[in-house]
Amino acid sequence: METLEKLVAIEEIKQLKARYFRLIDTKQFEQLVDIFTPDAVFDFGKAFCDPVSGQMPGTSPSGPLVGREAVIKGIVDGMPPVLQSIHMGYTPEVEITSANTANAIHPATYRPFIPGVLSANCYGYYHETYEKIDGKWMIKTSTIQPLRVVFDE
């Protein structure tokens, strides 16, 4: 893969992740079908577990969500109507591993807010793999690894 092709691929992956954050925050869940591969795997089981204190509200999912439909359903079910969220992504490290595959680590902050239930500032990383299908980059695997989760009082 030529340098220019790699740079274009990196930019497309960065735009894909930015779109993911916007779709989650604006609850445009039906458009997530264009974000994830059919065999996607999403692990957000520790997204709200503070690795410093060990504190985690409620229960965590039993394991990663497997398959695009399960991933989207898990996101929708995890975002009740009263939930507001804010996701901010920062400069990612993207590695193009072939013409159709890539890896990335996206530093991010995410703030879920469910009045009376959960409000926290979360800081961590999305570790992801990507696949290019029919000329479009899509998320194949995603794991959220928090560094710190600070719960509001």
Side-chain angles (χ1 to χ4, degrees):
M1 187 177 241
E2 296 293 323
T3 302
L4 182 58
E5 292 173 309
K6 283 185 180 181
L7 291 173
V8 168
I10 289 168
E11 184 60 26
E12 289 173 348
I13 288 167
K14 289 165 51 177
Q15 293 294 317
L16 173 68
K17 191 63 182 180
R19 189 167 39 260
Y20 162 83
F21 287 143
R22 179 179 52 80
L23 294 175
I24 296 294
D25 291 343
T26 60
K27 298 183 181 184
Q28 297 179 58
F29 304 126
E30 66 284 351
Q31 292 183 40
L32 291 174
V33 73
D34 295 326
I35 299 291
F36 293 100
T37 63
D39 60 345
V41 176
F42 187 34
D43 186 354
F44 65 94
K46 294 182 180 178
F48 305 115
C49 180
D50 181 29
V52 175
S53 70
Q55 184 181 5
M56 180 169 167
T59 60
S60 64
S62 60
L65 301 168
V66 179
R68 178 171 41 214
E69 289 77 20
V71 169
I72 294 171
K73 183 178 182 333
I75 291 169
V76 170
D77 291 351
M79 300 280 287
V82 295
L83 178 71
Q84 296 172 321
S85 66
I86 301 168
H87 289 76
M88 294 290 154
Y90 305 103
T91 308
E93 300 171 58
V94 181
E95 175 189 17
I96 305 302
T97 54
S98 78
N100 295 312
T101 59
N103 302 318
I105 300 173
H106 295 271
T109 57
Y110 47 101
R111 181 165 173 69
F113 181 70
I114 305 172
V117 177
L118 172 65
S119 182
N121 288 303
C122 308
Y123 309 90
Y125 296 92
Y126 281 76
H127 293 261
E128 297 186 327
T129 63
Y130 299 87
E131 185 175 359
K132 193 173 189 179
I133 300 174
D134 296 328
K136 237 174 54 172
W137 287 101
M138 302 179 93
I139 298 171
K140 186 171 184 69
T141 65
S142 183
T143 301
I144 300 175
Q145 179 184 30
L147 291 179
R148 188 75 167 110
V149 177
V150 181
F151 298 95
D152 294 343
E153 297 297 318

